[in-house]
């Protein structure tokens, strides 16, 4: 499942978007994870819907170290985007 939240501390021009993705117990195999991506869908262009990449991180990019998933636990990943109007 995926949830999205948008917050703005009172009186500031700063915003934070948190996209939280959860894979339930058993949804993923016990395997080494070396890449995580966040994809969107239903981007419509001229009547055709497309899937698109929002963000992707990978071991090959040096973004994180590979880890072995334990599918007896849920896997939660939060993408946090901070931005500020100036």
């Amino acid at each position: 499942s995926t949830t999205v939240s948008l917050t703005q501390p009172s009186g500031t021009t700063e915003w934070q978007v948190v996209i939280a993705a959860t894979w339930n117990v058993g949804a993923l195999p016990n395997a080494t994870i070396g890449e995580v991506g966040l994809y969107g869908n239903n981007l419509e262009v001229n009547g055709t819907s497309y899937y698109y990449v929002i963000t992707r991180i990978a071991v090959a990019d040096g973004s994180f170290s590979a880890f072995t998933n334990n599918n007896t636990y849920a896997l939660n990943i939060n993408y946090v985007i901070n931005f500020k109007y100036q």
Side-chain angles (χ1 to χ4, degrees):
S1 66
T2 305
T3 59
V4 178
S5 64
L6 174 65
T7 58
Q8 179 189 27
S10 180
T12 71
T13 58
E14 299 175 9
W15 291 82
Q16 183 177 73
V17 177
V18 178
I19 303 168
T22 300
W23 289 265
N24 293 326
V25 172
L28 296 173
N30 286 327
T32 300
I33 296 179
E35 181 176 328
V36 177
L38 178 62
Y39 298 84
N41 62 12
N42 294 328
L43 173 65
E44 190 171 315
V45 177
N46 295 327
T48 302
S49 290
Y50 295 92
Y51 289 94
Y52 54 97
V53 176
I54 296 171
T55 186
R56 175 194 150 278
I57 59 173
V59 171
D61 300 332
S63 299
F64 67 98
S65 297
F67 61 94
T68 301
N69 181 56
N70 179 343
N71 74 358
T72 61
Y73 296 94
L75 176 62
N76 299 298
I77 296 178
N78 291 336
Y79 287 99
V80 179
I81 304 164
N82 295 301
F83 60 97
K84 179 178 182 175
Y85 291 108
Q86 293 185 348

